[in-house]
Amino acid sequence: MNTTTVDGVAGWAIGLMEQLGAPGAGLAIALENLFPPLPSEVILPLAGFTASQGRMDLLDAVVWTTLGSVIGALALYAVGALLGRDRVVAIASRLPLIKVSDVEKSEAWFARHGRKTVFFGRMIPIFRSLISIPAGVERMPIVSFTLLTTCGSLIWNTAFVLAGYLLGENWSLVETYAGILSKIVLGLVALTVIVFVWMRLAERRKGRHGSR
C-alpha cells in the first residue's frame, strides 16, 4: 500500500498502520473519539483492508480498534466528570434559549435511559463520541460505562473492519454508505434543534403577551 496515492485522513491513518501495525489503528480510533471530525467510517474499513493485504492480523485489528474506542471514550468520560453538574448548569444558564430546567430534564432522561444510550450511542455517527461526556457528568458507574462502551464499540468496529476486509480495494464503498447515514443523522439533529428553538421562541412570545 502506497501512502503517496492516498491523502487526507485516509493517508494519515495508513501511515499510522504502516508504522505501528494494529496498535496504529487503535491510536487512530482513540483520536477519532476525541476529535469526532476524524471519521471512523474511513479508519475502520482501512484497518480491514490493511488486514486483507496481510499487513496486520484481522483479529488484532478488531481488538486494537476496540481498545482505542474505549480509551477515547474514557478520556471524554473524564472530561464530563471533571466538568461536573454545577459547571454544566452554570454554562447552560448563560446560554440563550436554554433553561436550567432543560439540563434537569436531560439528567432525568439519562438516569432512565443511560445504559441503553451508552450502548447504542456507540453505533450512531457523531454521537458515538459525544455520549461519553454526559455519562461522565452523571458519574455513571465506571465499570458499567466501560462494559457497555466495549460491547457497543466491538459491534461497530467489527462490522466496519470486516467490511473493509471483505471489500478489499473497494473499501471506500463503506465510507460512501456510512457518509449517507451520517448525513441522515445530522439532518435529524438539525430538525430537532430547529423545532426546539421555535418552541422556545414561541414560549417567550407567549410570555410577553401574557405579561401585558
Coordinates of all heavy atoms in Angstrom, one line a residue, residues 49-136:
F49 N -9.0 -3.4 5.3 CA -8.3 -3.5 4.1 C -6.8 -3.9 4.3 O -6.2 -4.7 3.6 CB -8.4 -2.2 3.3 CG -7.5 -2.2 2.0 CD1 -7.7 -3.1 1.0 CD2 -6.5 -1.3 1.9 CE1 -6.9 -3.1 -0.1 CE2 -5.7 -1.2 0.8 CZ -5.9 -2.1 -0.2
T50 N -6.2 -3.2 5.3 CA -4.8 -3.5 5.6 C -4.6 -4.9 6.0 O -3.6 -5.6 5.7 CB -4.3 -2.5 6.7 OG1 -4.5 -1.1 6.3 CG2 -2.8 -2.7 7.0
A51 N -5.6 -5.4 6.8 CA -5.5 -6.8 7.2 C -5.6 -7.8 6.0 O -5.0 -8.8 6.0 CB -6.6 -7.1 8.3
S52 N -6.5 -7.4 5.1 CA -6.7 -8.2 3.9 C -5.4 -8.3 3.1 O -5.2 -9.3 2.3 CB -7.8 -7.7 3.0 OG -7.5 -6.5 2.3
Q53 N -4.5 -7.3 3.2 CA -3.3 -7.3 2.5 C -2.2 -8.1 3.2 O -1.0 -8.1 2.8 CB -2.8 -5.9 2.2 CG -3.8 -5.0 1.4 CD -4.0 -5.6 0.0 OE1 -3.0 -5.6 -0.8 NE2 -5.2 -6.0 -0.3
G54 N -2.5 -8.6 4.4 CA -1.6 -9.3 5.2 C -0.6 -8.5 6.0 O 0.4 -9.0 6.6
R55 N -0.9 -7.2 6.2 CA -0.1 -6.3 6.9 C -0.4 -6.2 8.4 O 0.4 -5.6 9.1 CB -0.1 -4.9 6.3 CG 0.4 -4.8 4.8 CD 0.2 -3.4 4.2 NE 0.7 -3.4 2.9 CZ 1.9 -3.0 2.6 NH1 2.8 -2.7 3.5 NH2 2.3 -3.0 1.3
M56 N -1.5 -6.8 8.8 CA -1.8 -7.0 10.2 C -2.8 -8.1 10.3 O -3.5 -8.5 9.3 CB -2.4 -5.7 10.8 CG -3.8 -5.3 10.3 SD -4.5 -3.9 11.3 CE -3.6 -2.5 10.6
D57 N -3.0 -8.7 11.5 CA -3.9 -9.7 11.7 C -5.3 -9.2 11.9 O -5.5 -8.1 12.5 CB -3.5 -10.5 13.0 CG -4.4 -11.7 13.2 OD1 -4.3 -12.7 12.5 OD2 -5.3 -11.6 14.1
L58 N -6.3 -9.8 11.3 CA -7.7 -9.3 11.3 C -8.2 -9.2 12.8 O -8.8 -8.2 13.2 CB -8.6 -10.2 10.5 CG -10.1 -9.8 10.5 CD1 -10.3 -8.5 9.9 CD2 -10.9 -10.9 9.8
L59 N -7.9 -10.2 13.6 CA -8.4 -10.2 15.0 C -7.7 -9.0 15.7 O -8.3 -8.3 16.5 CB -8.1 -11.5 15.7 CG -8.5 -11.6 17.2 CD1 -10.0 -11.4 17.3 CD2 -8.1 -13.0 17.7
D60 N -6.4 -8.8 15.5 CA -5.7 -7.7 16.1 C -6.3 -6.4 15.7 O -6.4 -5.5 16.6 CB -4.2 -7.8 15.7 CG -3.4 -8.9 16.3 OD1 -3.9 -9.5 17.3 OD2 -2.3 -9.2 15.9
A61 N -6.7 -6.3 14.5 CA -7.3 -5.0 14.0 C -8.6 -4.7 14.8 O -8.8 -3.6 15.3 CB -7.6 -5.1 12.5
V62 N -9.4 -5.7 15.0 CA -10.7 -5.6 15.8 C -10.3 -5.3 17.2 O -10.9 -4.3 17.8 CB -11.5 -6.8 15.7 CG1 -12.7 -6.7 16.6 CG2 -12.0 -7.0 14.2
V63 N -9.4 -6.0 17.8 CA -9.1 -5.8 19.3 C -8.5 -4.4 19.5 O -8.9 -3.7 20.4 CB -8.1 -6.9 19.7 CG1 -7.6 -6.6 21.1 CG2 -8.8 -8.3 19.7
W64 N -7.6 -4.0 18.7 CA -6.9 -2.8 18.9 C -7.8 -1.6 18.7 O -7.8 -0.6 19.4 CB -5.6 -2.7 18.1 CG -4.5 -3.4 18.7 CD1 -4.0 -4.6 18.5 CD2 -3.6 -2.8 19.8 NE1 -2.9 -4.9 19.3 CE2 -2.7 -3.8 20.1 CE3 -3.6 -1.6 20.5 CZ2 -1.7 -3.6 21.1 CZ3 -2.6 -1.4 21.5 CH2 -1.7 -2.4 21.8
T65 N -8.6 -1.7 17.6 CA -9.5 -0.5 17.4 C -10.6 -0.4 18.5 O -11.0 0.7 18.9 CB -10.2 -0.7 16.0 OG1 -10.9 -1.9 15.9 CG2 -9.2 -0.5 14.9
T66 N -11.0 -1.6 19.0 CA -12.0 -1.5 20.1 C -11.3 -0.9 21.4 O -11.9 -0.1 22.1 CB -12.5 -2.9 20.4 OG1 -13.2 -3.4 19.2 CG2 -13.5 -2.9 21.5
L67 N -10.1 -1.3 21.6 CA -9.3 -0.8 22.7 C -9.2 0.7 22.6 O -9.4 1.5 23.5 CB -8.0 -1.4 22.8 CG -7.1 -0.9 24.0 CD1 -7.7 -1.2 25.3 CD2 -5.7 -1.6 23.9
G68 N -8.9 1.2 21.4 CA -8.8 2.6 21.1 C -10.1 3.3 21.3 O -10.1 4.4 21.9
S69 N -11.2 2.7 21.0 CA -12.5 3.3 21.2 C -12.8 3.5 22.7 O -13.3 4.5 23.1 CB -13.6 2.4 20.6 OG -13.5 2.4 19.2
V70 N -12.5 2.5 23.5 CA -12.7 2.5 24.9 C -11.8 3.6 25.6 O -12.3 4.3 26.4 CB -12.5 1.1 25.5 CG1 -12.6 1.2 27.1 CG2 -13.5 0.1 25.0
I71 N -10.5 3.6 25.2 CA -9.6 4.6 25.8 C -10.1 6.0 25.4 O -10.2 6.9 26.3 CB -8.2 4.4 25.2 CG1 -7.6 3.1 25.8 CG2 -7.3 5.6 25.6 CD1 -6.3 2.7 25.2
G72 N -10.5 6.3 24.2 CA -11.0 7.6 23.8 C -12.3 8.0 24.6 O -12.5 9.1 25.0
A73 N -13.2 7.0 24.7 CA -14.4 7.2 25.4 C -14.2 7.5 26.9 O -14.8 8.4 27.5 CB -15.4 6.0 25.3
L74 N -13.3 6.8 27.5 CA -12.9 7.0 28.9 C -12.3 8.4 29.1 O -12.6 9.1 30.2 CB -11.9 6.0 29.4 CG -12.6 4.6 29.7 CD1 -11.5 3.6 30.0 CD2 -13.6 4.6 30.8
A75 N -11.6 8.9 28.2 CA -11.0 10.3 28.2 C -12.1 11.3 28.2 O -12.1 12.3 29.0 CB -10.0 10.5 27.1
L76 N -13.1 11.1 27.4 CA -14.2 12.1 27.3 C -15.1 11.9 28.6 O -15.7 12.9 29.1 CB -15.0 11.8 26.1 CG -14.4 12.3 24.8 CD1 -15.2 11.9 23.6 CD2 -14.0 13.7 24.8
Y77 N -15.2 10.7 29.1 CA -16.0 10.5 30.3 C -15.3 11.3 31.5 O -16.0 12.0 32.3 CB -15.9 9.0 30.7 CG -16.6 8.6 32.0 CD1 -17.9 8.2 32.1 CD2 -15.9 8.7 33.2 CE1 -18.5 7.9 33.3 CE2 -16.4 8.4 34.4 CZ -17.8 8.0 34.5 OH -18.3 7.6 35.7
A78 N -14.0 11.3 31.5 CA -13.2 12.0 32.5 C -13.5 13.5 32.4 O -13.6 14.3 33.4 CB -11.7 11.7 32.4
V79 N -13.6 14.0 31.1 CA -13.9 15.4 30.9 C -15.2 15.8 31.5 O -15.3 16.8 32.2 CB -13.8 15.8 29.4 CG1 -14.4 17.2 29.1 CG2 -12.4 15.6 28.8
G80 N -16.2 14.9 31.2 CA -17.5 15.2 31.8 C -17.5 15.1 33.3 O -18.2 16.0 34.0
A81 N -16.8 14.2 33.9 CA -16.7 14.1 35.3 C -16.0 15.3 36.0 O -16.4 15.7 37.0 CB -16.0 12.8 35.7
L82 N -15.0 15.8 35.3 CA -14.3 16.9 35.8 C -15.1 18.2 35.7 O -15.0 19.1 36.6 CB -12.9 17.1 35.1 CG -11.9 16.0 35.4 CD1 -10.7 16.2 34.5 CD2 -11.4 16.1 36.9
L83 N -15.8 18.3 34.6 CA -16.7 19.4 34.4 C -17.8 19.5 35.4 O -18.0 20.5 36.1 CB -17.3 19.4 33.0 CG -18.0 20.6 32.4 CD1 -17.0 21.8 32.3 CD2 -18.6 20.3 31.1
G84 N -18.4 18.4 35.7 CA -19.4 18.3 36.7 C -20.7 19.0 36.4 O -20.9 19.8 35.5
R85 N -21.7 18.6 37.2 CA -23.1 19.1 37.0 C -23.2 20.6 37.2 O -23.8 21.4 36.5 CB -24.1 18.4 37.9 CG -25.5 18.9 37.8 CD -26.5 18.3 38.8 NE -27.8 18.7 38.5 CZ -28.3 19.9 38.9 NH1 -27.6 20.7 39.6 NH2 -29.6 20.2 38.6
D86 N -22.5 21.2 38.3 CA -22.6 22.6 38.6 C -22.1 23.5 37.5 O -22.7 24.5 37.1 CB -21.9 22.9 39.9 CG -22.5 22.3 41.1 OD1 -23.7 21.9 41.0 OD2 -21.8 22.1 42.2
R87 N -21.0 23.1 36.9 CA -20.4 23.9 35.8 C -21.3 23.8 34.5 O -21.5 24.8 33.8 CB -19.0 23.4 35.4 CG -18.0 23.8 36.5 CD -16.6 23.3 36.1 NE -15.7 23.6 37.2 CZ -14.4 23.2 37.2 NH1 -13.9 22.5 36.2 NH2 -13.6 23.5 38.2
V88 N -21.9 22.6 34.3 CA -22.8 22.4 33.2 C -24.0 23.3 33.4 O -24.5 24.0 32.4 CB -23.3 21.0 33.0 CG1 -24.4 20.9 32.0 CG2 -22.1 20.1 32.6
V89 N -24.6 23.4 34.6 CA -25.7 24.2 34.9 C -25.4 25.7 34.7 O -26.1 26.5 34.2 CB -26.3 23.9 36.3 CG1 -27.3 25.0 36.7 CG2 -26.9 22.5 36.4
A90 N -24.2 26.1 35.2 CA -23.7 27.4 35.1 C -23.6 27.9 33.7 O -24.0 29.0 33.3 CB -22.4 27.6 35.9
I91 N -23.0 27.0 32.9 CA -22.9 27.3 31.4 C -24.2 27.4 30.8 O -24.5 28.3 30.0 CB -22.0 26.2 30.7 CG1 -20.6 26.3 31.3 CG2 -22.0 26.4 29.2 CD1 -19.7 25.1 30.8
A92 N -25.1 26.5 31.1 CA -26.5 26.5 30.5 C -27.2 27.7 30.8 O -28.0 28.3 30.0 CB -27.2 25.2 30.9
S93 N -27.1 28.2 32.1 CA -27.8 29.4 32.5 C -27.4 30.7 31.7 O -28.1 31.6 31.7 CB -27.6 29.6 34.0 OG -26.2 29.9 34.3
R94 N -26.2 30.6 31.1 CA -25.7 31.8 30.4 C -26.0 31.7 28.9 O -25.8 32.7 28.1 CB -24.2 31.9 30.5 CG -23.8 32.2 32.0 CD -22.3 32.5 32.0 NE -21.8 32.8 33.4 CZ -21.3 31.9 34.2 NH1 -21.2 30.7 33.8 NH2 -20.9 32.3 35.4
L95 N -26.5 30.6 28.4 CA -26.8 30.4 27.0 C -28.2 30.8 26.7 O -29.1 30.6 27.4 CB -26.6 28.9 26.6 CG -25.2 28.3 26.8 CD1 -25.3 26.8 26.5 CD2 -24.3 29.0 25.8
P96 N -28.3 31.5 25.5 CA -29.7 31.9 25.1 C -30.5 30.7 24.7 O -30.0 29.7 24.2 CB -29.4 32.8 23.9 CG -28.1 32.3 23.3 CD -27.3 31.9 24.6
L97 N -31.8 30.8 25.0 CA -32.8 29.8 24.7 C -32.7 28.5 25.5 O -33.4 27.5 25.3 CB -32.8 29.4 23.2 CG -33.0 30.6 22.2 CD1 -32.8 30.1 20.8 CD2 -34.3 31.3 22.4
I98 N -31.7 28.5 26.4 CA -31.5 27.3 27.3 C -31.9 27.6 28.7 O -31.6 28.6 29.2 CB -30.1 26.8 27.3 CG1 -29.6 26.4 25.8 CG2 -29.9 25.6 28.2 CD1 -30.3 25.3 25.3
K99 N -32.7 26.7 29.3 CA -33.1 26.9 30.7 C -32.4 25.8 31.6 O -32.1 24.7 31.1 CB -34.6 26.7 30.8 CG -35.5 27.7 30.1 CD -36.9 27.4 30.3 CE -37.8 28.4 29.5 NZ -39.3 28.0 29.7
V100 N -32.3 26.1 32.8 CA -31.7 25.1 33.8 C -32.6 23.9 33.8 O -32.1 22.8 33.9 CB -31.5 25.7 35.2 CG1 -31.1 24.7 36.2 CG2 -30.5 26.9 35.2
S101 N -33.9 24.1 33.6 CA -34.8 23.0 33.6 C -34.6 22.1 32.5 O -34.8 20.9 32.6 CB -36.3 23.5 33.5 OG -36.5 24.2 32.3
D102 N -34.0 22.6 31.4 CA -33.6 21.7 30.2 C -32.5 20.7 30.7 O -32.5 19.5 30.3 CB -33.1 22.5 29.0 CG -34.2 23.4 28.4 OD1 -35.4 23.0 28.5 OD2 -33.9 24.5 28.0
V103 N -31.6 21.2 31.4 CA -30.5 20.4 31.9 C -31.0 19.3 32.9 O -30.7 18.2 32.8 CB -29.4 21.2 32.7 CG1 -28.3 20.3 33.2 CG2 -28.8 22.2 31.7
E104 N -32.0 19.8 33.8 CA -32.6 18.8 34.7 C -33.4 17.7 34.0 O -33.3 16.6 34.4 CB -33.5 19.6 35.7 CG -32.7 20.6 36.6 CD -33.6 21.5 37.4 OE1 -34.8 21.6 37.1 OE2 -33.1 22.1 38.4
K105 N -34.1 18.1 32.9 CA -34.8 17.1 32.2 C -33.9 16.1 31.5 O -34.1 14.9 31.4 CB -35.7 17.8 31.1 CG -36.9 18.6 31.7 CD -37.6 19.3 30.6 CE -38.8 20.1 31.2 NZ -39.5 20.9 30.1
S106 N -32.7 16.7 31.0 CA -31.7 15.8 30.3 C -31.2 14.8 31.3 O -30.9 13.7 31.0 CB -30.6 16.7 29.7 OG -31.1 17.5 28.7
E107 N -30.9 15.3 32.6 CA -30.4 14.4 33.6 C -31.4 13.3 33.9 O -31.0 12.2 34.1 CB -30.1 15.3 34.9 CG -29.0 16.2 34.8 CD -28.8 17.1 36.0 OE1 -29.8 17.3 36.7 OE2 -27.7 17.6 36.2
A108 N -32.7 13.7 34.0 CA -33.7 12.7 34.3 C -33.8 11.7 33.2 O -33.9 10.5 33.5 CB -35.0 13.4 34.6
W109 N -33.7 12.1 32.0 CA -33.8 11.2 30.8 C -32.6 10.3 30.8 O -32.7 9.1 30.6 CB -33.8 12.0 29.5 CG -34.0 11.2 28.3 CD1 -35.2 10.9 27.8 CD2 -33.0 10.6 27.5 NE1 -35.0 10.1 26.6 CE2 -33.7 9.9 26.5 CE3 -31.6 10.5 27.5 CZ2 -33.0 9.2 25.5 CZ3 -30.9 9.8 26.6 CH2 -31.6 9.2 25.6
F110 N -31.4 10.8 31.1 CA -30.2 10.0 31.1 C -30.2 9.0 32.2 O -29.8 7.8 32.1 CB -28.9 10.8 31.2 CG -27.7 10.1 30.9 CD1 -27.2 10.0 29.6 CD2 -26.9 9.5 31.9 CE1 -26.1 9.3 29.3 CE2 -25.8 8.8 31.6 CZ -25.3 8.7 30.3
A111 N -30.8 9.4 33.4 CA -30.9 8.5 34.5 C -31.8 7.3 34.2 O -31.5 6.1 34.6 CB -31.5 9.2 35.7
R112 N -32.8 7.5 33.3 CA -33.7 6.4 32.9 C -33.2 5.6 31.8 O -33.4 4.4 31.7 CB -35.1 7.0 32.5 CG -35.9 7.6 33.6 CD -37.4 7.8 33.2 NE -37.4 8.6 32.0 CZ -37.5 10.0 32.0 NH1 -37.5 10.6 33.2 NH2 -37.6 10.6 30.9
H113 N -32.5 6.2 30.9 CA -32.0 5.5 29.6 C -30.5 5.5 29.4 O -30.1 5.1 28.3 CB -32.7 6.2 28.4 CG -34.2 6.3 28.5 ND1 -35.0 5.2 28.4 CD2 -35.0 7.4 28.7 CE1 -36.3 5.6 28.6 NE2 -36.3 7.0 28.7
G114 N -29.8 5.8 30.5 CA -28.3 6.0 30.3 C -27.6 4.7 29.8 O -26.8 4.8 28.9
R115 N -28.0 3.6 30.3 CA -27.3 2.3 29.9 C -27.5 2.1 28.4 O -26.6 1.8 27.6 CB -27.8 1.2 30.7 CG -27.4 1.3 32.2 CD -28.0 0.2 33.0 NE -27.4 -1.1 32.7 CZ -26.3 -1.6 33.2 NH1 -25.7 -0.9 34.2 NH2 -25.9 -2.8 32.9
K116 N -28.8 2.2 27.9 CA -29.1 1.9 26.5 C -28.5 3.0 25.7 O -28.0 2.7 24.5 CB -30.6 2.0 26.3 CG -31.3 0.8 26.9 CD -32.8 0.8 26.6 CE -33.5 1.9 27.4 NZ -35.0 1.8 27.3
T117 N -28.4 4.3 26.1 CA -27.8 5.3 25.4 C -26.4 5.1 25.1 O -25.9 5.3 24.0 CB -28.1 6.7 26.1 OG1 -29.4 6.9 26.3 CG2 -27.5 7.8 25.3
V118 N -25.6 4.7 26.2 CA -24.2 4.5 26.0 C -23.9 3.3 25.1 O -23.0 3.4 24.2 CB -23.6 4.2 27.4 CG1 -22.1 3.7 27.2 CG2 -23.6 5.5 28.2
F119 N -24.7 2.3 25.2 CA -24.5 1.1 24.3 C -24.8 1.4 22.9 O -24.0 1.2 22.0 CB -25.4 -0.1 24.8 CG -25.3 -1.3 23.9 CD1 -24.1 -2.1 23.9 CD2 -26.3 -1.7 23.1 CE1 -24.0 -3.2 23.1 CE2 -26.2 -2.8 22.3 CZ -25.1 -3.6 22.3
F120 N -26.1 1.8 22.6 CA -26.5 2.1 21.2 C -25.8 3.3 20.6 O -25.7 3.4 19.4 CB -28.0 2.2 21.1 CG -28.7 0.9 21.4 CD1 -29.4 0.6 22.5 CD2 -28.6 -0.1 20.4 CE1 -30.0 -0.6 22.7 CE2 -29.3 -1.4 20.6 CZ -29.9 -1.6 21.8
G121 N -25.5 4.3 21.5 CA -24.8 5.5 21.0 C -23.5 5.2 20.4 O -23.1 6.0 19.5
R122 N -22.9 4.1 20.8 CA -21.6 3.8 20.2 C -21.7 3.4 18.7 O -20.7 3.3 18.0 CB -20.9 2.6 20.9 CG -20.6 2.9 22.4 CD -19.7 4.1 22.6 NE -18.5 4.0 21.8 CZ -17.6 5.0 21.7 NH1 -17.8 6.1 22.3 NH2 -16.5 4.8 21.0
M123 N -22.9 3.2 18.3 CA -23.2 2.8 16.9 C -23.9 3.8 16.1 O -24.4 3.6 15.0 CB -24.0 1.5 16.9 CG -23.2 0.3 17.4 SD -24.2 -1.2 17.6 CE -24.7 -1.0 19.3
I124 N -23.9 5.1 16.6 CA -24.5 6.2 15.9 C -23.4 7.2 15.5 O -22.7 7.7 16.4 CB -25.6 6.9 16.7 CG1 -26.7 5.8 17.1 CG2 -26.2 8.0 16.0 CD1 -27.8 6.4 18.0
P125 N -23.2 7.5 14.3 CA -22.2 8.5 13.9 C -22.4 9.8 14.7 O -23.5 10.2 15.0 CB -22.5 8.8 12.4 CG -23.1 7.5 11.9 CD -24.0 7.0 13.1
I126 N -21.3 10.5 15.0 CA -21.2 11.7 15.7 C -21.4 11.5 17.2 O -20.6 11.8 18.0 CB -22.2 12.8 15.2 CG1 -22.1 13.0 13.7 CG2 -22.0 14.1 15.9 CD1 -20.8 13.4 13.2
F127 N -22.6 10.9 17.6 CA -22.9 10.8 19.0 C -22.1 9.7 19.6 O -22.0 9.6 20.9 CB -24.4 10.4 19.1 CG -25.3 11.6 18.7 CD1 -26.0 11.5 17.5 CD2 -25.5 12.7 19.5 CE1 -26.8 12.6 17.1 CE2 -26.3 13.7 19.1 CZ -26.9 13.7 17.9
R128 N -21.5 8.8 18.9 CA -20.7 7.7 19.4 C -19.5 8.3 20.3 O -19.1 7.6 21.2 CB -20.2 6.8 18.4 CG -19.3 7.4 17.3 CD -19.0 6.5 16.1 NE -18.6 5.2 16.6 CZ -17.4 4.8 16.8 NH1 -16.4 5.7 16.6 NH2 -17.1 3.6 17.2
S129 N -19.1 9.5 20.0 CA -18.1 10.1 20.8 C -18.7 11.0 21.9 O -18.3 10.9 23.1 CB -17.1 11.0 19.9 OG -16.4 10.2 19.0
L130 N -19.6 11.8 21.6 CA -20.2 12.8 22.5 C -20.9 12.2 23.7 O -21.0 12.8 24.7 CB -21.1 13.7 21.7 CG -20.4 14.5 20.6 CD1 -21.5 15.4 19.9 CD2 -19.2 15.3 21.1
I131 N -21.5 11.0 23.5 CA -22.3 10.4 24.6 C -21.5 10.2 25.8 O -22.0 10.1 27.0 CB -22.9 9.1 24.1 CG1 -24.0 8.7 25.1 CG2 -21.9 8.0 23.9 CD1 -25.1 9.7 25.3
S132 N -20.2 10.1 25.7 CA -19.3 9.8 26.9 C -19.3 11.0 27.9 O -19.1 10.8 29.1 CB -17.9 9.5 26.4 OG -17.8 8.4 25.6
I133 N -19.5 12.2 27.4 CA -19.5 13.4 28.2 C -20.6 13.4 29.2 O -20.4 13.6 30.5 CB -19.4 14.7 27.4 CG1 -18.1 14.7 26.6 CG2 -19.5 15.9 28.3 CD1 -17.9 15.9 25.7
P134 N -21.9 13.3 28.8 CA -23.0 13.3 29.8 C -22.9 12.1 30.8 O -23.3 12.2 31.9 CB -24.2 13.2 29.0 CG -23.8 12.8 27.6 CD -22.4 13.3 27.4
A135 N -22.3 11.0 30.3 CA -22.1 9.8 31.1 C -21.1 10.2 32.3 O -21.3 9.8 33.4 CB -21.6 8.6 30.4
G136 N -20.1 11.0 31.9 CA -19.2 11.4 33.0 C -19.8 12.4 33.9 O -19.6 12.4 35.1

